[in-house]
Amino acid sequence: RVLFRSSAGAEDFSDLDFPVDRRSSYQSSTHRWVDLSGEFRGTRVYLEVYRHPQPDLIGILSPRKLTLADIGATEDALGDIDSRQDPSAFVEFEGKRWQWESSREIHYFENDLGNGEGLYRWLFREPGGSRLLCVEKWEDEPFEIRIARRLNPPDVTIYPAAKGA
């Protein structure tokens, strides 16, 4: 077990502290990254830690869940965006054009075990901000859309838990 801390990392910009009680991973092509999660203020939060192709930290820290209608998208439109891989593509949310950043098939390995469960993910970046719309489609499940945030690595600390904790 470890303790995660991010200065001003919570949605209200207060410090975010939570004990990590799950460690899983994702993989796309030859890239694998870590997913740490735990409870913060009664909500499960997630931190994705990327090392390649460049270091990156993405936190899904808000309990808010959105629908395709909330972001002005349809399944067909997302499929079209993915097939074109067009950096000028966008969705509209909160009166802003959120730019397409990536879309790809990935595999999720709960507790870093097994063959992985497949899903498809689209990321859209808020103009001039650190927030992302994370759109996921798991097999035989409805779309899941969450607001994520890029975190500043110097503001993040991961502490080993005290022995016996």
Side-chain angles (χ1 to χ4, degrees), residues 51-152:
R51 292 188 182 137
H52 302 289
Q54 63 191 26
D56 201 6
L57 294 171
I58 295 178
I60 299 176
L61 311 171
S62 170
R64 185 175 178 196
K65 294 185 179 181
L66 304 170
T67 65
L68 287 176
D70 292 331
I71 65 168
T74 64
E75 186 169 355
D76 288 342
L78 290 173
D80 182 56
I81 288 170
D82 178 61
S83 68
R84 291 184 294 121
Q85 296 284 301
D86 180 2
S88 68
F90 64 90
V91 295
E92 292 201 28
F93 178 66
E94 296 179 337
K96 302 174 193 172
R97 288 181 162 196
W98 294 58
Q99 289 301 131
W100 174 86
E101 185 170 286
S102 67
S103 55
R104 61 190 170 183
E105 183 175 3
I106 59 180
H107 288 86
Y108 173 73
F109 300 87
E110 189 167 347
N111 299 314
D112 289 327
L113 300 172
N115 294 326
E117 184 177 354
L119 69 138
Y120 218 87
R121 178 187 281 179
W122 293 258
L123 289 178
F124 295 89
R125 184 179 59 258
E126 178 182 31
S130 64
R131 295 187 307 164
L132 301 163
L133 289 175
C134 180
V135 180
E136 292 182 343
K137 179 64 171 106
W138 298 74
E139 190 173 337
D140 299 325
E141 296 290 331
F143 281 86
E144 287 183 21
I145 305 170
R146 304 279 299 269
I147 297 173
R149 280 198 359 198
R150 280 214 160 80
L151 300 173
N152 188 11

Side-chain angles (χ1 to χ4, degrees), residues 2-10 14-20 36 40 47 57 61 151-160:
V2 296
L3 177 69
F4 168 84
R5 169 171 226 163
S6 175
S7 300
S14 64
D15 288 351
L16 175 75
D17 295 291
F18 67 89
V20 173
L36 304 173
F40 176 71
L47 175 70
L57 294 171
L61 311 171
L151 300 173
N152 188 11
D155 294 338
V156 173
T157 308
I158 298 176
Y159 300 97

